[in-house]
Amino acid sequence: MQNTVHIIGAGISGLSAAVRLANANFKVHVHEATQQAGGRCRSYFDAATNLTIDNGNHLLLSGNRHAIAYARSIGTEAGLVGPKSAQFPFVDLATGQRWQLDLGESRLPLWVFDEARRVPDTGVRDYLALLPLIWASQGKLVADTIPCKGTLYDRLVQPLLLAALNVDPPEGSAGLAGAVVRETLLAGGQACRPLIAREGLSAVLVEPAIKLLRDKGATIRFGHELRELGLSAGRLSELKFGEDTIAIGPNDAVVLAVPARPAASLLPGLKTPSKFRAIVNAHFRYDPPPQMPPILGVVGGLVEWLFAFPQRLSITISNADRLVDMPREELAQAIWGDICKAAGFQADMPPWQIVRERRATFEATPEQNALRPGASTAWKNLFLAGDWTDTGLPATIEGSVRSGDRAADLLLAALRA
Ligand SMILES: Cc1cc2nc3c(=O)[nH]c(=O)nc-3n(C[C@H](O)[C@H](O)[C@H](O)COP(=O)(O)OP(=O)(O)OC[C@H]3O[C@@H](n4cnc5c(N)ncnc54)[C@H](O)[C@@H]3O)c2cc1C
Protein backbone atom coordinates (compact mmCIF):
# COMPACT_ATOMS: atom_id res chain seq x y z
CA MET A 1 0.00 0.00 0.00
CA GLN A 2 1.20 3.53 -0.78
CA ASN A 3 2.21 5.44 2.35
CA THR A 4 0.68 8.86 2.84
CA VAL A 5 2.64 11.82 4.10
CA HIS A 6 1.37 15.25 5.05
CA ILE A 7 3.73 18.21 4.76
CA ILE A 8 2.72 21.26 6.78
CA GLY A 9 4.15 24.44 5.26
CA ALA A 10 5.15 25.03 1.62
CA GLY A 11 8.37 26.96 2.20
CA ILE A 12 11.64 25.61 0.82
CA SER A 13 12.01 23.14 3.75
CA GLY A 14 8.53 21.68 3.21
CA LEU A 15 8.89 21.60 -0.57
CA SER A 16 12.25 19.85 -0.48
CA ALA A 17 10.83 17.17 1.87
CA ALA A 18 7.73 16.87 -0.32
CA VAL A 19 9.74 16.44 -3.54
CA ARG A 20 11.99 13.81 -1.97
CA LEU A 21 9.02 11.85 -0.63
CA ALA A 22 6.98 12.13 -3.84
CA ASN A 23 10.04 10.77 -5.68
CA ALA A 24 10.11 7.90 -3.16
CA ASN A 25 6.54 7.06 -4.28
CA PHE A 26 4.68 8.46 -1.26
CA LYS A 27 1.24 9.95 -1.61
CA VAL A 28 2.04 13.54 -0.64
CA HIS A 29 -0.40 16.17 0.69
CA VAL A 30 0.99 19.68 1.27
CA HIS A 31 -0.93 22.07 3.52
CA GLU A 32 0.01 25.76 3.34
CA ALA A 33 -1.56 28.44 5.53
CA THR A 34 -1.24 31.29 3.02
CA GLN A 35 -2.40 31.53 -0.59
CA GLN A 36 1.14 31.17 -1.97
CA ALA A 37 4.00 28.71 -1.70
CA GLY A 38 7.59 29.73 -0.98
CA GLY A 39 7.28 31.22 2.53
CA ARG A 40 10.23 33.56 3.08
CA CYS A 41 11.55 32.79 -0.39
CA ARG A 42 8.93 33.97 -2.87
CA SER A 43 8.14 36.36 -5.72
CA TYR A 44 5.10 38.55 -6.24
CA PHE A 45 3.81 41.28 -8.49
CA ASP A 46 4.48 44.70 -7.01
CA ALA A 47 2.24 47.53 -8.17
CA ALA A 48 4.60 50.33 -7.03
CA THR A 49 7.37 49.25 -9.41
CA ASN A 50 5.08 47.44 -11.85
CA LEU A 51 7.47 44.48 -11.69
CA THR A 52 7.49 40.99 -10.28
CA ILE A 53 9.94 41.14 -7.40
CA ASP A 54 11.27 38.76 -4.78
CA ASN A 55 10.57 39.31 -1.09
CA GLY A 56 14.33 39.37 -0.70
CA ASN A 57 17.44 39.02 -2.83
CA HIS A 58 18.58 35.50 -2.16
CA LEU A 59 22.19 34.68 -2.82
CA LEU A 60 23.36 31.09 -3.12
CA LEU A 61 26.92 29.91 -3.53
CA SER A 62 28.04 27.05 -5.77
CA GLY A 63 29.08 25.14 -2.60
CA ASN A 64 25.40 25.00 -1.47
CA ARG A 65 25.17 21.45 -2.68
CA HIS A 66 21.79 20.50 -1.20
CA ALA A 67 20.14 23.63 -2.59
CA ILE A 68 21.62 22.96 -6.02
CA ALA A 69 20.60 19.30 -5.90
CA TYR A 70 17.07 20.43 -4.99
CA ALA A 71 17.01 22.77 -7.99
CA ARG A 72 18.29 19.92 -10.17
CA SER A 73 15.57 17.60 -8.84
CA ILE A 74 12.87 20.07 -9.93
CA GLY A 75 14.59 20.74 -13.27
CA THR A 76 15.76 24.31 -12.63
CA GLU A 77 19.46 24.10 -11.84
CA ALA A 78 20.12 26.20 -14.96
CA GLY A 79 17.92 28.93 -13.46
CA LEU A 80 20.56 29.58 -10.78
CA VAL A 81 22.93 31.85 -12.64
CA GLY A 82 26.09 33.76 -11.83
CA PRO A 83 29.48 34.76 -13.11
CA LYS A 84 31.72 31.98 -14.49
CA SER A 85 34.17 32.27 -11.61
CA ALA A 86 34.00 33.39 -8.00
CA GLN A 87 34.68 37.09 -8.47
CA PHE A 88 33.24 39.60 -6.06
CA PRO A 89 33.58 43.28 -6.92
CA PHE A 90 33.41 45.57 -3.88
CA VAL A 91 33.17 49.31 -3.31
CA ASP A 92 33.86 51.22 -0.11
CA LEU A 93 31.45 54.16 -0.05
CA ALA A 94 33.41 55.92 2.70
CA THR A 95 36.69 56.06 0.74
CA GLY A 96 35.53 55.48 -2.86
CA GLN A 97 38.00 52.58 -3.17
CA ARG A 98 36.98 49.70 -5.46
CA TRP A 99 38.47 46.20 -5.63
CA GLN A 100 37.69 42.75 -6.82
CA LEU A 101 38.08 39.63 -4.75
CA ASP A 102 38.95 36.80 -7.12
CA LEU A 103 38.64 33.36 -5.53
CA GLY A 104 39.40 31.60 -8.81
CA GLU A 105 38.12 28.13 -9.62
CA SER A 106 40.28 25.95 -7.42
CA ARG A 107 39.13 23.51 -4.73
CA LEU A 108 41.67 25.06 -2.37
CA PRO A 109 41.76 28.66 -1.12
CA LEU A 110 44.91 29.42 -3.15
CA TRP A 111 43.76 33.00 -3.82
CA VAL A 112 44.88 33.88 -0.29
CA PHE A 113 48.49 33.55 -1.46
CA ASP A 114 48.07 35.84 -4.47
CA GLU A 115 48.29 39.52 -3.63
CA ALA A 116 46.45 40.50 -6.80
CA ARG A 117 43.44 38.35 -5.94
CA ARG A 118 42.99 38.84 -2.22
CA VAL A 119 41.55 41.88 -0.44
CA PRO A 120 43.80 44.94 -0.98
CA ASP A 121 46.06 45.87 1.97
CA THR A 122 45.83 42.40 3.53
CA GLY A 123 48.51 39.73 3.99
CA VAL A 124 48.51 35.94 4.32
CA ARG A 125 48.84 36.24 8.09
CA ASP A 126 45.47 38.03 8.30
CA TYR A 127 43.82 35.02 6.65
CA LEU A 128 45.63 32.52 8.89
CA ALA A 129 44.14 34.34 11.88
CA LEU A 130 40.72 33.15 10.68
CA LEU A 131 41.61 29.47 11.06
CA PRO A 132 40.25 29.10 14.64
CA LEU A 133 36.76 29.63 13.18
CA ILE A 134 37.03 26.34 11.33
CA TRP A 135 37.08 24.22 14.48
CA ALA A 136 35.20 26.59 16.82
CA SER A 137 32.57 25.02 19.05
CA GLN A 138 28.90 25.97 18.74
CA GLY A 139 28.89 27.73 22.11
CA LYS A 140 31.62 30.24 21.26
CA LEU A 141 31.22 33.77 20.00
CA VAL A 142 32.85 34.94 16.77
CA ALA A 143 34.32 37.81 18.84
CA ASP A 144 36.14 35.28 21.06
CA THR A 145 37.49 33.33 18.10
CA ILE A 146 38.90 35.67 15.45
CA PRO A 147 39.99 39.34 15.25
CA CYS A 148 36.88 41.44 14.59
CA LYS A 149 38.70 44.51 13.38
CA GLY A 150 41.22 45.46 10.73
CA THR A 151 41.14 45.65 6.95
CA LEU A 152 40.36 41.98 6.25
CA TYR A 153 37.54 42.03 8.77
CA ASP A 154 36.03 45.26 7.42
CA ARG A 155 36.30 44.31 3.77
CA LEU A 156 35.56 40.57 3.72
CA VAL A 157 34.85 38.83 7.02
CA GLN A 158 32.26 41.33 8.23
CA PRO A 159 30.26 41.46 4.94
CA LEU A 160 30.38 37.67 4.51
CA LEU A 161 29.42 36.76 8.08
CA LEU A 162 26.81 39.52 8.33
CA ALA A 163 25.10 38.16 5.21
CA ALA A 164 25.35 34.55 6.39
CA LEU A 165 24.42 34.98 10.08
CA ASN A 166 22.15 38.06 9.90
CA VAL A 167 23.61 39.34 13.19
CA ASP A 168 26.53 41.66 13.86
CA PRO A 169 29.34 39.09 13.38
CA PRO A 170 31.08 39.48 16.79
CA GLU A 171 27.86 38.44 18.59
CA GLY A 172 27.34 35.49 16.20
CA SER A 173 27.91 31.81 16.84
CA ALA A 174 31.48 30.90 15.89
CA GLY A 175 30.28 27.33 15.24
CA LEU A 176 27.79 28.50 12.61
CA ALA A 177 30.28 30.97 11.14
CA GLY A 178 32.84 28.16 10.97
CA ALA A 179 30.40 25.94 9.06
CA VAL A 180 29.89 28.71 6.51
CA VAL A 181 33.64 29.30 6.13
CA ARG A 182 34.37 25.54 5.83
CA GLU A 183 31.79 25.10 3.08
CA THR A 184 32.68 28.28 1.15
CA LEU A 185 35.95 30.19 1.59
CA LEU A 186 37.93 27.14 2.70
CA ALA A 187 36.57 25.05 -0.16
CA GLY A 188 38.13 27.42 -2.71
CA GLY A 189 36.59 29.39 -5.56
CA GLN A 190 34.71 26.40 -6.99
CA ALA A 191 32.45 26.51 -3.90
CA CYS A 192 32.03 30.29 -3.86
CA ARG A 193 30.60 31.17 -7.26
CA PRO A 194 27.62 33.44 -6.49
CA LEU A 195 24.30 32.21 -7.88
CA ILE A 196 20.96 33.97 -8.07
CA ALA A 197 17.54 32.97 -9.35
CA ARG A 198 17.54 35.59 -12.10
CA GLU A 199 14.00 34.79 -13.27
CA GLY A 200 12.73 35.12 -9.69
CA LEU A 201 12.63 32.91 -6.61
CA SER A 202 9.19 31.49 -7.31
CA ALA A 203 9.95 30.72 -10.97
CA VAL A 204 13.15 28.89 -10.11
CA LEU A 205 12.73 27.38 -6.64
CA VAL A 206 9.02 27.17 -5.92
CA GLU A 207 6.58 26.84 -8.85
CA PRO A 208 8.50 24.01 -10.59
CA ALA A 209 8.39 22.04 -7.31
CA ILE A 210 4.62 22.54 -7.09
CA LYS A 211 4.24 21.41 -10.70
CA LEU A 212 6.42 18.32 -10.13
CA LEU A 213 4.43 17.43 -7.02
CA ARG A 214 1.09 17.80 -8.83
CA ASP A 215 2.39 15.75 -11.78
CA LYS A 216 3.22 13.01 -9.29
CA GLY A 217 -0.32 13.08 -7.89
CA ALA A 218 0.35 15.20 -4.79
CA THR A 219 -2.27 17.63 -3.52
CA ILE A 220 -1.37 21.18 -2.46
CA ARG A 221 -3.95 23.00 -0.38
CA PHE A 222 -3.53 26.73 0.10
CA GLY A 223 -5.29 28.69 2.86
CA HIS A 224 -5.16 25.46 4.86
CA GLU A 225 -3.62 26.39 8.18
CA LEU A 226 -2.88 23.67 10.70
CA ARG A 227 -4.39 24.76 14.03
CA GLU A 228 -3.74 21.80 16.30
CA LEU A 229 -2.00 18.45 16.42
CA GLY A 230 -3.86 15.46 17.86
CA LEU A 231 -1.18 13.61 19.81
CA SER A 232 -1.61 10.27 21.49
CA ALA A 233 0.61 7.51 22.90
CA GLY A 234 3.84 8.29 21.06
CA ARG A 235 2.04 8.91 17.75
CA LEU A 236 0.48 11.82 15.97
CA SER A 237 -3.07 10.76 15.22
CA GLU A 238 -4.85 13.84 13.85
CA LEU A 239 -4.24 17.10 12.03
CA LYS A 240 -6.82 19.74 12.92
CA PHE A 241 -7.26 22.56 10.40
CA GLY A 242 -10.21 24.36 11.99
CA GLU A 243 -13.01 23.37 9.62
CA ASP A 244 -11.66 19.91 8.89
CA THR A 245 -9.67 17.22 10.67
CA ILE A 246 -7.48 14.63 8.98
CA ALA A 247 -6.86 11.28 10.68
CA ILE A 248 -3.31 9.98 10.39
CA GLY A 249 -3.32 6.27 9.59
CA PRO A 250 -0.86 3.70 10.99
CA ASN A 251 1.27 3.88 7.80
CA ASP A 252 1.16 7.67 7.52
CA ALA A 253 3.53 10.36 8.71
CA VAL A 254 3.80 14.13 8.96
CA VAL A 255 6.58 16.66 8.35
CA LEU A 256 5.97 19.89 10.24
CA ALA A 257 7.84 22.47 8.13
CA VAL A 258 6.48 25.71 9.60
CA PRO A 259 8.59 28.55 11.10
CA ALA A 260 9.80 28.30 14.70
CA ARG A 261 6.99 30.33 16.31
CA PRO A 262 4.03 28.36 14.90
CA ALA A 263 5.95 25.11 15.52
CA ALA A 264 6.37 26.04 19.20
CA SER A 265 2.67 26.80 19.59
CA LEU A 266 1.58 23.62 17.78
CA LEU A 267 3.92 21.37 19.79
CA PRO A 268 3.86 22.42 23.46
CA GLY A 269 7.20 21.81 25.17
CA LEU A 270 9.18 22.11 21.92
CA LYS A 271 12.34 24.13 22.39
CA THR A 272 12.90 26.52 19.46
CA PRO A 273 14.84 29.71 18.79
CA SER A 274 12.77 32.60 20.13
CA LYS A 275 14.66 35.64 18.85
CA PHE A 276 14.75 36.77 15.25
CA ARG A 277 16.37 39.48 13.13
CA ALA A 278 15.06 41.55 10.25
CA ILE A 279 16.35 41.87 6.69
CA VAL A 280 15.50 44.92 4.56
CA ASN A 281 15.37 44.73 0.79
CA ALA A 282 14.66 47.65 -1.52
CA HIS A 283 13.84 47.45 -5.21
CA PHE A 284 14.09 50.34 -7.69
CA ARG A 285 12.69 50.25 -11.21
CA TYR A 286 15.82 51.35 -13.06
CA ASP A 287 17.76 49.83 -15.96
CA PRO A 288 21.20 48.86 -14.64
CA PRO A 289 24.03 50.74 -16.40
CA PRO A 290 25.73 48.34 -18.87
CA GLN A 291 29.00 48.09 -16.96
CA MET A 292 27.31 47.19 -13.67
CA PRO A 293 28.22 43.78 -12.19
CA PRO A 294 25.29 41.49 -11.29
CA ILE A 295 26.32 41.56 -7.61
CA LEU A 296 28.33 44.32 -5.95
CA GLY A 297 29.49 44.18 -2.33
CA VAL A 298 29.18 47.55 -0.61
CA VAL A 299 30.96 48.57 2.59
CA GLY A 300 31.03 51.90 4.42
CA GLY A 301 27.36 52.70 3.76
CA LEU A 302 23.83 51.62 4.64
CA VAL A 303 23.53 49.23 1.70
CA GLU A 304 25.45 45.93 1.89
CA TRP A 305 24.80 44.18 -1.43
CA LEU A 306 23.62 45.72 -4.69
CA PHE A 307 22.05 43.42 -7.31
CA ALA A 308 21.48 44.33 -10.96
CA PHE A 309 18.41 42.62 -12.45
CA PRO A 310 16.77 43.39 -15.79
CA GLN A 311 14.85 46.71 -15.28
CA ARG A 312 15.65 46.72 -11.56
CA LEU A 313 18.31 47.57 -9.00
CA SER A 314 17.84 45.83 -5.66
CA ILE A 315 19.69 46.00 -2.39
CA THR A 316 19.96 43.97 0.80
CA ILE A 317 20.59 45.17 4.35
CA SER A 318 20.96 42.42 6.97
CA ASN A 319 20.61 42.61 10.75
CA ALA A 320 18.18 45.44 10.01
CA ASP A 321 16.02 45.73 13.15
CA ARG A 322 17.17 49.36 13.46
CA LEU A 323 15.51 50.17 10.11
CA VAL A 324 12.19 48.44 10.63
CA ASP A 325 10.40 51.53 11.95
CA MET A 326 12.22 54.16 9.89
CA PRO A 327 9.81 56.13 7.64
CA ARG A 328 9.73 54.35 4.27
CA GLU A 329 10.36 57.38 2.03
CA GLU A 330 13.34 58.47 4.15
CA LEU A 331 14.80 54.96 4.03
CA ALA A 332 14.26 54.71 0.26
CA GLN A 333 16.04 58.07 -0.28
CA ALA A 334 19.00 57.00 1.87
CA ILE A 335 19.28 53.70 0.02
CA TRP A 336 18.98 55.37 -3.41
CA GLY A 337 21.80 57.74 -2.41
CA ASP A 338 24.03 54.75 -1.64
CA ILE A 339 23.07 53.05 -4.92
CA CYS A 340 23.99 56.14 -6.97
CA LYS A 341 27.39 56.32 -5.25
CA ALA A 342 28.05 52.59 -5.55
CA ALA A 343 27.00 52.36 -9.21
CA GLY A 344 28.64 55.68 -10.10
CA PHE A 345 25.70 57.67 -11.51
CA GLN A 346 23.31 60.43 -10.48
CA ALA A 347 19.55 60.09 -11.04
CA ASP A 348 16.27 61.01 -9.40
CA MET A 349 14.77 58.22 -7.35
CA PRO A 350 12.65 56.00 -9.65
CA PRO A 351 9.57 53.97 -8.55
CA TRP A 352 10.59 51.86 -5.57
CA GLN A 353 9.45 49.29 -3.06
CA ILE A 354 10.83 48.39 0.35
CA VAL A 355 10.25 44.93 1.82
CA ARG A 356 11.00 44.61 5.52
CA GLU A 357 10.94 41.02 6.72
CA ARG A 358 10.87 41.47 10.50
CA ARG A 359 11.53 37.85 11.39
CA ALA A 360 13.71 37.00 8.41
CA THR A 361 15.95 34.55 10.31
CA PHE A 362 16.48 33.27 13.81
CA GLU A 363 19.22 35.12 15.67
CA ALA A 364 22.42 33.17 14.89
CA THR A 365 23.92 33.66 18.34
CA PRO A 366 25.29 30.77 20.47
CA GLU A 367 22.34 31.17 22.86
CA GLN A 368 19.67 30.86 20.13
CA ASN A 369 21.58 28.21 18.19
CA ALA A 370 21.48 26.02 21.32
CA LEU A 371 17.66 26.04 21.17
CA ARG A 372 17.41 24.33 17.77
CA PRO A 373 15.80 20.88 17.88
CA GLY A 374 16.66 17.94 15.62
CA ALA A 375 14.24 16.52 13.05
CA SER A 376 12.94 13.61 15.14
CA THR A 377 10.30 14.17 17.83
CA ALA A 378 8.86 12.18 20.71
CA TRP A 379 6.08 11.15 18.27
CA LYS A 380 7.44 8.50 15.96
CA ASN A 381 5.45 9.58 12.88
CA LEU A 382 6.12 13.34 13.29
CA PHE A 383 9.27 15.00 11.94
CA LEU A 384 10.43 18.60 11.96
CA ALA A 385 11.93 20.63 9.13
CA GLY A 386 12.79 24.31 8.86
CA ASP A 387 15.81 26.58 8.66
CA TRP A 388 15.56 26.99 12.45
CA THR A 389 15.99 23.27 13.19
CA ASP A 390 19.46 21.99 14.00
CA THR A 391 21.02 21.93 10.54
CA GLY A 392 24.47 23.10 11.66
CA LEU A 393 24.04 26.09 9.35
CA PRO A 394 22.54 29.54 9.80
CA ALA A 395 19.03 30.19 8.42
CA THR A 396 19.62 29.84 4.69
CA ILE A 397 18.13 28.09 1.67
CA GLU A 398 20.90 25.51 1.96
CA GLY A 399 19.95 24.85 5.59
CA SER A 400 16.25 24.69 4.67
CA VAL A 401 16.81 22.12 1.94
CA ARG A 402 19.05 20.08 4.24
CA SER A 403 16.37 20.12 6.92
CA GLY A 404 13.71 18.97 4.44
CA ASP A 405 15.96 16.24 3.06
CA ARG A 406 16.84 15.05 6.55
CA ALA A 407 13.21 14.95 7.73
CA ALA A 408 12.28 13.00 4.60
CA ASP A 409 15.15 10.54 5.06
CA LEU A 410 14.31 9.93 8.73
CA LEU A 411 10.65 9.44 7.83
CA LEU A 412 11.57 6.96 5.09
CA ALA A 413 13.80 5.05 7.49
CA ALA A 414 11.11 5.00 10.21
CA LEU A 415 8.36 3.76 7.90
CA ARG A 416 10.57 1.14 6.30
CA ALA A 417 11.89 -0.15 9.64
C1 LIG B 1 14.56 38.93 3.14
C2 LIG B 1 15.24 37.62 3.22
C3 LIG B 1 16.46 37.44 2.58
C4 LIG B 1 17.11 36.20 2.66
N1 LIG B 1 18.27 36.03 1.97
C5 LIG B 1 18.81 34.80 1.90
C6 LIG B 1 19.95 34.57 1.06
O1 LIG B 1 20.49 35.50 0.44
N2 LIG B 1 20.45 33.31 0.97
C7 LIG B 1 19.87 32.26 1.65
O2 LIG B 1 20.35 31.12 1.50
N3 LIG B 1 18.82 32.46 2.48
C8 LIG B 1 18.26 33.70 2.61
N4 LIG B 1 17.17 33.90 3.40
C9 LIG B 1 16.69 32.79 4.25
C10 LIG B 1 15.72 31.85 3.50
O3 LIG B 1 14.73 32.59 2.83
C11 LIG B 1 15.05 30.96 4.54
O4 LIG B 1 16.04 30.27 5.27
C12 LIG B 1 14.10 29.93 3.92
O5 LIG B 1 13.27 30.49 2.93
C13 LIG B 1 13.26 29.31 5.03
O6 LIG B 1 12.42 28.31 4.49
P1 LIG B 1 11.51 27.42 5.46
O7 LIG B 1 10.72 26.52 4.57
O8 LIG B 1 12.34 26.81 6.51
O9 LIG B 1 10.53 28.45 6.20
P2 LIG B 1 9.41 29.41 5.60
O10 LIG B 1 9.87 29.97 4.31
O11 LIG B 1 9.06 30.36 6.67
O12 LIG B 1 8.18 28.45 5.26
C14 LIG B 1 7.25 28.02 6.22
C15 LIG B 1 5.88 27.92 5.57
O13 LIG B 1 4.97 27.41 6.54
C16 LIG B 1 3.74 28.10 6.40
N5 LIG B 1 2.98 27.96 7.65
C17 LIG B 1 3.20 28.59 8.83
N6 LIG B 1 2.34 28.16 9.76
C18 LIG B 1 1.56 27.23 9.15
C19 LIG B 1 0.47 26.42 9.60
N7 LIG B 1 0.03 26.45 10.87
N8 LIG B 1 -0.12 25.58 8.71
C20 LIG B 1 0.31 25.51 7.42
N9 LIG B 1 1.34 26.27 6.95
C21 LIG B 1 1.96 27.11 7.82
C22 LIG B 1 4.19 29.52 6.08
O14 LIG B 1 3.13 30.27 5.51
C23 LIG B 1 5.35 29.27 5.12
O15 LIG B 1 4.92 29.19 3.78
C24 LIG B 1 16.53 35.14 3.39
C25 LIG B 1 15.32 35.33 4.05
C26 LIG B 1 14.67 36.55 3.97
C27 LIG B 1 13.37 36.72 4.67
Side-chain angles (χ1 to χ4, degrees):
M1 203 181 85
Q2 197 181 24
N3 293 103
T4 296
V5 61
H6 295 269
I7 310 281
I8 316 299
I12 297 296
S13 305
L15 290 176
S16 58
V19 166
R20 211 166 173 91
L21 291 164
N23 283 336
N25 207 25
F26 275 67
K27 176 80 189 158
V28 173
H29 300 289
V30 180
H31 309 270
E32 164 57 44
T34 67
Q35 296 300 333
Q36 191 187 349
R40 279 169 282 151
C41 177
R42 67 187 186 283
S43 316
Y44 61 93
F45 178 75
D46 170 58
T49 54
N50 203 23
L51 293 170
T52 295
I53 60 174
D54 294 333
N55 69 313
N57 302 309
H58 280 59
L59 182 63
L60 289 171
L61 294 177
S62 46
N64 292 159
R65 58 182 202 284
H66 284 248
I68 291 168
Y70 165 74
R72 191 178 310 128
S73 74
I74 58 172
T76 58
E77 188 182 359
L80 295 172
V81 295
K84 281 207 171 56
S85 75
Q87 294 180 335
F88 292 85
F90 272 92
V91 57
D92 184 339
L93 295 187
T95 63
Q97 196 174 359
R98 289 176 191 269
W99 67 93
Q100 176 151 285
L101 186 67
D102 181 357
L103 310 187
E105 289 167 40
S106 161
R107 288 178 186 274
L108 294 168
L110 301 176
W111 56 276
V112 163
F113 302 98
D114 183 345
E115 196 178 345
R117 289 164 61 197
R118 60 183 183 238
V119 175
D121 309 323
T122 62
V124 174
R125 234 193 259 174
D126 298 318
Y127 295 83
L128 295 179
L130 302 180
L131 285 176
L133 259 193
I134 294 163
W135 51 79
S137 66
Q138 298 288 340
K140 270 191 107 177
L141 286 170
V142 171
D144 295 336
T145 312
I146 56 164
C148 289
K149 57 180 192 228
T151 307
L152 182 62
Y153 178 78
D154 292 343
R155 291 183 173 174
L156 177 62
V157 178
Q158 198 271 356
L160 173 78
L161 294 187
L162 175 62
L165 301 178
N166 198 25
V167 296
D168 189 23
E171 60 168 330
S173 153
L176 291 177
V180 172
V181 170
R182 274 196 307 278
E183 295 190 15
T184 56
L185 289 184
L186 196 68
Q190 57 89 36
C192 297
R193 207 161 65 80
L195 297 171
I196 46 177
R198 183 168 298 279
E199 301 307 318
L201 293 171
S202 291
V204 177
L205 294 175
V206 179
E207 294 310 329
I210 299 289
K211 180 173 180 322
L212 179 144
L213 288 169
R214 287 195 168 127
D215 288 350
K216 285 190 172 286
T219 66
I220 326 282
R221 290 183 70 177
F222 292 106
H224 206 221
E225 181 180 349
L226 182 69
R227 301 280 167 81
E228 203 182 326
L229 294 167
L231 301 161
S232 60
R235 284 191 80 253
L236 169 67
S237 52
E238 279 180 338
L239 295 173
K240 301 179 186 177
F241 292 92
E243 305 216 318
D244 58 322
T245 295
I246 295 177
I248 304 300
N251 296 318
D252 303 347
V254 172
V255 177
L256 187 63
V258 302
R261 281 162 43 111
S265 64
L266 285 162
L267 258 184
L270 179 71
K271 237 178 26 166
T272 69
S274 53
K275 294 183 183 167
F276 305 87
R277 293 283 170 95
I279 297 179
V280 167
N281 277 263
H283 309 270
F284 297 84
R285 190 186 172 104
Y286 193 87
D287 288 327
Q291 76 286 2
M292 237 188 110
I295 303 164
L296 177 64
V298 184
V299 299
L302 182 60
V303 164
E304 291 155 7
W305 296 95
L306 171 55
F307 295 81
F309 290 101
Q311 294 183 280
R312 173 164 62 99
L313 294 176
S314 288
I315 64 90
T316 299
I317 305 171
S318 298
N319 190 26
D321 288 15
R322 68 194 186 285
L323 303 177
V324 158
D325 296 320
M326 185 170 169
R328 286 167 56 77
E329 176 85 30
E330 196 184 314
L331 181 55
Q333 286 289 359
I335 291 171
W336 184 245
D338 269 14
I339 291 179
C340 291
K341 272 199 226 164
F345 63 74
Q346 272 309 318
D348 290 341
M349 188 164 72
W352 54 274
Q353 183 58 275
I354 287 180
V355 188
R356 298 189 256 208
E357 290 269 8
R358 284 168 191 264
R359 278 188 287 274
T361 69
F362 75 90
E363 204 177 83
T365 55
E367 175 221 11
Q368 290 292 307
N369 189 38
L371 297 171
R372 300 168 82 186
S376 300
T377 69
W379 298 272
K380 64 180 187 195
N381 57 348
L382 174 63
F383 300 87
L384 301 176
D387 61 355
W388 54 275
T389 59
D390 188 12
T391 63
L393 291 175
T396 52
I397 293 183
E398 175 68 7
S400 303
V401 174
R402 273 188 209 188
S403 79
D405 288 352
R406 191 188 42 187
D409 289 346
L410 287 170
L411 186 154
L412 280 165
L415 290 188
R416 284 175 180 163

